[in-house]
Amino acid sequence: MSREDTPTAHIAAQYDDVAKTVIMCGDPLRAKFIAEKYLTDPVLFNEVRGMLGYTGYYKGKRVSVMGHGMGIPSIGIYSYELFNFFDVESIIRVGTAGALSPDMQIGDMLFAQAACTDSDYGHQYGFPAKFAPIASFELLEKAAQVARENGFPFQVGNIYSADVFYDESDRQMEWGKFGVKAVEMEAAGLYINAAATGKKALTICTISDQLVHRKYASTEERRSSFTNMMKVALEIA
Ligand code: HPA
C-alpha cells in the first residue's frame, strides 16, 4: 500500500501532494483558514466531500493541514488513508473539548496523553484484550516544551473520545472520577490508527465547554486560545 493507491476514495491527491506531517481539525473551513493565515504558498490538494486539505510551508517546513470531520468514523477514514496510502508520519489533531475535570479552565490546552473510549472502532484490529490508545511521547514532549516556553496554560492527561455529542445517558461525567480531564470525539480513533501503522499522533484540545461548572467559551476566548493551540501544533509539526 501507498503511492500506487493514491488518489484514495476520500482524498483526491497525488502521493507527493501531502506533507509527511498533517495538522487536522474537525471543520474543513477552519483548515482553509489555518492554511491561508499561517502557511506560505498553500496549495489545495483535496476537496472531495468538502474536506479541504492544503500543503504549504511553516518556517520552511513542509506541512499539510486538513479537515477530519466529526467523530471517530470520520477521522478514522482520513487518518487511515493518510497513514497507509500517503505514508504520512505524524498527525496532530487540534480541536475543542468539554472539561470533565473541575480544575480545567475555559481556554486551557489539554495534550491528550491517552484516550479512553466506548467506541468499537478498534475491534477491527482484533486486540487480544482492551487496547490503551496513547499519544506519541515525542510529539507530546515537544508540545509541552513549546507551551511552557510561550507561557500557555496547559495540562497533560487522559481524554474521553465519545461517540455521542448529545449524551442522553448523562454518564460521561463519571469519567471525571477517574481523572479523565475532558471529552471530545476523535482522539482514540486517531491513536489506534497511528498504533496500527507505527506512526505518530497527538491530540491538542482547547477547553471550549466547562461541563462541571456549566461555563462556555466566549467568542474572544475561543479565538485567542485557538491561536495558542495553532502555534503549538505548527512549532512541533
Ligand atoms: N462533547 C463532545 N465533544 C466536545 C464537547 C463536548 O461537550 N465540547 C467540545 N467538543
Side-chain angles (χ1 to χ4, degrees):
M1 292 195 279
S2 65
R3 187 178 289 269
E4 62 276 13
D5 295 296
T6 62
T8 60
H10 307 93
I11 305 174
Q14 300 303 322
Y15 179 85
D16 292 322
D17 293 345
V18 183
K20 295 302 168 210
T21 297
V22 184
I23 295 173
M24 303 192 81
C25 55
D27 179 357
L29 291 178
R30 175 59 57 98
K32 179 174 194 275
F33 172 81
I34 295 167
E36 288 171 353
K37 182 170 167 71
Y38 296 102
L39 300 187
T40 311
D41 301 330
V43 176
L44 179 72
F45 66 76
N46 187 58
E47 45 186 346
V48 175
R49 290 176 185 252
M51 201 54 81
L52 305 173
Y54 297 81
T55 298
Y57 293 85
Y58 178 76
K59 295 188 178 172
K61 287 179 295 192
R62 191 162 182 259
V63 182
S64 294
V65 50
M66 187 178 174
H68 60 55
M70 287 179 283
I72 288 176
S74 187
I75 198 169
I77 291 169
Y78 293 108
S79 60
Y80 189 96
E81 292 185 3
L82 291 170
F83 284 142
N84 285 288
F85 305 135
F86 290 90
D87 289 337
V88 164
E89 283 302 322
S90 303
I91 295 180
I92 302 159
R93 158 171 148 70
V94 289
T96 54
L100 300 173
S101 157
D103 66 350
M104 288 222 69
Q105 312 301 325
I106 300 278
D108 282 358
M109 254 185 285
L110 174 62
F111 302 139
Q113 184 178 18
C116 304
T117 192
D118 46 9
S119 157
D120 223 3
Y121 184 81
H123 183 74
Q124 62 180 310
Y125 291 113
F127 304 124
K130 300 283 186 209
F131 180 73
I134 57 168
S136 151
F137 182 66
E138 187 185 322
L139 292 177
L140 179 61
E141 198 177 31
K142 280 193 208 157
Q145 192 183 335
V146 171
R148 224 175 262 126
E149 280 166 9
N150 285 276
F152 300 152
F154 72 97
Q155 295 196 25
V156 176
N158 218 340
I159 210 162
Y160 165 49
S161 299
D163 269 348
V164 290
F165 184 86
Y166 299 104
D167 181 14
E168 292 267 334
S169 80
D170 215 22
R171 291 198 61 198
Q172 68 180 8
M173 301 310 293
E174 292 176 24
W175 288 98
K177 293 186 210 156
F178 301 93
V180 176
K181 291 180 182 291
V183 53
E184 51 80 87
M185 301 186 71
E186 290 87 13
L190 173 62
Y191 290 178
I192 289 170
N193 278 349
T197 49
K199 305 297 180 81
K200 288 179 261 192
L202 177 67
T203 292
I204 305 176
C205 282
T206 295
I207 300 301
S208 57
D209 315 298
Q210 215 321 334
L211 301 176
V212 181
H213 303 312
R214 297 180 189 274
K215 288 197 181 128
Y216 305 93
S218 66
T219 310
E220 175 50 27
E221 281 167 329
R222 278 178 190 269
R223 196 196 56 75
S224 60
S225 55
F226 170 77
T227 308
N228 296 353
M229 182 164 68
M230 277 321 306
K231 165 105 179 144
V232 174
L234 287 162
E235 289 295 329
I236 69 171

